[in-house]
Amino acid sequence: MTEQEPAIAGATGNVNPSERTPAEKSRTFSGILINTALANITTSYLWFALTFWVYLETRNVVATGVVGGAYMLLIALSSISFGTFVDRYRKLAVMRFAAAFTLVMFVLSGVMFLLTPEPALLDLSQPWFWIFTLIILAGAVVENMRNIALSTTVTILIEPDKRANANGLVGMVQGLMFIVTSVLSGLSVGLLGMGWTVVVALVLTALAFAHLLTLRLPEEVQAAASDAQGGFDLRGSWAAVMAISGLFALIIFSTFNNFIGGVYMALMDPYGLEMFPVEIWGAVFALGATGFILGGALIGKFGLGSNPLRTLLIAVAVMGVIGAAFTVREWAWLYIVGIWLYMALVPVVEAAEQTVIQKVVPLPRQGRVFGFAMAFESAAAPITAFLIAPIAQFWIIPYARSAEGAQQLKPLLGEGTSRGIALVFLVAGLVMIAAALLAFLTPVYRRVSNSYAQAETQTQDPDTQDPDTQSPRQGAVTDLS
């Protein structure tokens, strides 16, 4: 056992793998998954509503781009800490802390909305808008700590050969979250206003927190022994990733879809809100999000194949094709179909990365690895959002709406008020396609693919495992070089 490969706390009293049957553990996982879905619905509901409200009141894509980019940037900056805490403390304790913190932040946002005149909240030159937004962002961002903890509970509760299916179910539930929040957020902003939307979010958050207090995870009798230090173990997170050659490359592969995700973050809602009323747009986005459920359900049923990394890159390339094509004409049906197809592929990308990490990273380090991956991947979206929002607002959109620009873009993108946004989507999609295809040609892709196959073989044949460095339930510490 080397210095970089600590012993796994598998049957040493930290995690008790034999306390209950796989069926009983699966039911516990389902309870945790459903509760996390409820919590994500509440935070996304308020987050979506904030984005809709800001654009409808300001008609400024810079505002939506900055708000969306700030959300992803905060996730990027905080995910290392989230992963550190997940490694150092029991998973349910981490989830309960995150739920309580989110509830407090939403209460503060409600108090501020009640005490501050709405025109002042919408004045981007005043601090009140940014303080109000930051409070909501803080509550929504901390909720992501639960998602990291959820990924580690897959390792604790689900047998290795079923983890890809479990990760697919996670994607399916996230798709349901998109549907519910899209419909509720659009209806809330359009019919109730932002004030009552905050009240609804508060009630739902409190209910999810109360339900979380009823859940138990007897397999984790105490936090697994970990070398995590402090509250922001960047050094340990980096060491955990680099201890396994090729793991950093996997994270980079998974980041590809986040670059185009930043473009969507800044411009998808403005494009949709130019095409539909806010009440209808929420329902339209919900319809598109049903693809998320189908994609997750298919993974839950059939898995990801023998090489999840290959599946990931194929999905990213297809997402690029969709991103380049679904706004080539300002047709509502084309936009809806494009969103649906894109959403169907998102669970594939996320589940593929999670399945590989759960296979090759030991449990005491998984929190930091998932946190590092979330930080790295989340940083891609705000970079593109912050860059593209002002470029689109001040140059591309005015150019596309000018007589000369409209005439030049007409053969390629047709006519319409949102041809500038369509041009951005087209270029972003082409970049995604090129990046995914180039990744297939890299030596790292071949090494990681071969090493995953070797780890899978070791899991199926316990006699080949080294008891000092791995546990059949928790994934092998594999050399991907």
Side-chain angles (χ1 to χ4, degrees):
M1 181 173 61
T2 67
E3 181 179 351
Q4 289 185 332
E5 296 174 352
I8 304 304
T12 61
N14 299 109
V15 177
N16 185 350
S18 60
E19 182 171 323
R20 295 185 297 167
T21 66
E24 291 172 329
K25 288 183 284 188
S26 179
R27 284 194 294 271
T28 297
F29 174 73
S30 297
I32 295 173
L33 179 61
I34 291 171
N35 183 266
T36 303
L38 291 174
N40 286 345
I41 285 173
T42 62
T43 56
S44 297
Y45 162 73
L46 188 55
W47 166 244
F48 277 43
L50 176 66
T51 304
F52 295 165
W53 179 65
V54 168
Y55 182 74
L56 289 173
E57 297 295 335
T58 66
R59 295 291 174 176
N60 190 327
V61 298
V62 173
T64 59
V66 170
V67 170
Y71 173 74
M72 297 303 294
L73 183 60
L74 286 173
I75 291 178
L77 294 175
S78 59
S79 294
I80 299 296
S81 289
F82 293 168
T84 302
F85 282 111
V86 168
D87 277 347
R88 293 185 60 192
Y89 300 100
R90 296 181 66 185
K91 313 316 174 203
L92 273 182
V94 169
M95 291 182 174
R96 289 166 180 164
F97 168 79
F101 185 91
T102 298
L103 181 59
V104 170
M105 290 297 102
F106 285 3
V107 168
L108 290 177
S109 70
V111 171
M112 184 171 180
F113 189 90
L114 183 65
L115 298 179
T116 308
E118 189 166 325
L121 278 180
L122 289 167
D123 187 349
L124 274 62
S125 64
Q126 299 295 320
W128 313 118
F129 168 78
W130 302 106
I131 294 173
F132 178 68
T133 300
L134 185 61
I135 290 172
I136 294 178
L137 286 178
V141 166
V142 170
E143 190 61 39
N144 282 275
M145 189 185 298
R146 293 174 55 118
N147 296 327
I148 297 176
L150 177 64
S151 295
T152 64
T153 63
V154 173
T155 307
I156 295 172
L157 294 170
I158 305 299
E159 298 302 311
D161 60 336
K162 298 295 184 181
R163 288 176 189 161
N165 307 79
N167 290 326
L169 292 177
V170 172
M172 183 178 69
V173 169
Q174 289 174 338
L176 179 62
M177 174 201 71
F178 271 111
I179 293 174
V180 173
T181 53
S182 296
V183 174
L184 290 180
S185 298
L187 291 175
S188 289
V189 173
L191 301 178
L192 301 178
M194 191 63 186
W196 281 109
T197 298
V198 174
V199 172
V200 173
L202 276 173
V203 173
L204 294 177
T205 302
L207 290 175
F209 178 57
H211 176 253
L212 184 62
L213 295 177
T214 68
L215 298 178
R216 298 293 182 268
L217 186 62
E219 282 72 24
E220 191 181 28
V221 295
Q222 64 186 64
S226 174
D227 59 351
Q229 301 292 326
F232 187 84
D233 190 11
L234 177 59
R235 181 178 180 182
S237 300
W238 176 254
V241 172
M242 299 308 294
I244 302 175
S245 177
L247 187 58
F248 185 65
L250 170 66
I251 294 172
I252 293 177
F253 290 160
S254 301
T255 304
F256 286 162
N257 70 311
N258 287 54
F259 284 106
I260 198 170
V263 175
Y264 289 159
M265 179 187 303
L267 301 178
M268 181 176 279
D269 283 330
Y271 190 92
L273 291 170
E274 289 291 344
M275 189 178 294
F276 306 98
V278 63
E279 299 89 345
I280 302 300
W281 168 236
V284 166
F285 195 74
L287 177 62
T290 59
F292 215 134
I293 293 182
L294 179 63
L298 290 176
I299 300 170
K301 177 68 175 178
F302 301 107
L304 293 164
S306 60
N307 186 348
L309 182 55
R310 179 178 60 214
T311 306
L312 183 154
L313 290 179
I314 292 173
V316 170
V318 176
M319 289 166 78
V321 174
I322 295 168
F326 79 147
T327 57
V328 292
R329 292 295 184 272
E330 198 168 294
W331 298 335
W333 70 265
L334 179 63
Y335 195 48
I336 296 171
V337 170
I339 293 173
W340 190 91
L341 293 173
Y342 179 86
M343 290 294 184
L345 291 171
V346 171
V348 177
V349 176
E350 296 180 350
E353 179 191 23
Q354 291 170 359
T355 301
V356 174
I357 290 176
Q358 289 158 355
K359 177 69 65 176
V360 303
V361 178
L363 178 61
R365 288 183 167 182
Q366 280 187 16
R368 281 168 293 166
V369 170
F370 280 120
F372 182 89
M374 181 181 289
F376 196 87
E377 294 158 18
S378 299
I383 289 173
T384 49
F386 287 148
L387 287 175
I388 204 62
I391 292 174
Q393 177 72 23
F394 297 117
W395 288 289
I396 298 177
I397 293 176
Y399 161 75
R401 290 180 176 176
S402 68
E404 179 184 2
Q407 188 64 30
Q408 292 175 346
L409 292 177
K410 183 178 178 180
L412 178 64
L413 298 173
E415 298 178 297
T417 59
S418 301
R419 295 306 80 204
I421 297 177
L423 178 61
V424 176
F425 284 156
L426 174 63
V427 174
L430 294 176
V431 170
M432 284 287 295
I433 296 170
L437 295 179
L438 288 174
F440 275 112
L441 305 178
T442 62
V444 172
Y445 165 74
R446 292 188 290 273
R447 291 202 302 269
V448 175
S449 298
N450 292 335
S451 298
Y452 180 86
Q454 293 173 5
E456 183 71 18
T457 301
Q458 290 176 348
T459 300
Q460 296 172 358
D461 184 7
D463 293 337
T464 66
Q465 296 180 349
D466 178 356
D468 288 335
T469 59
Q470 58 193 35
S471 164
R473 291 192 66 260
Q474 294 167 346
V477 179
T478 307
D479 182 7
L480 302 188
S481 58

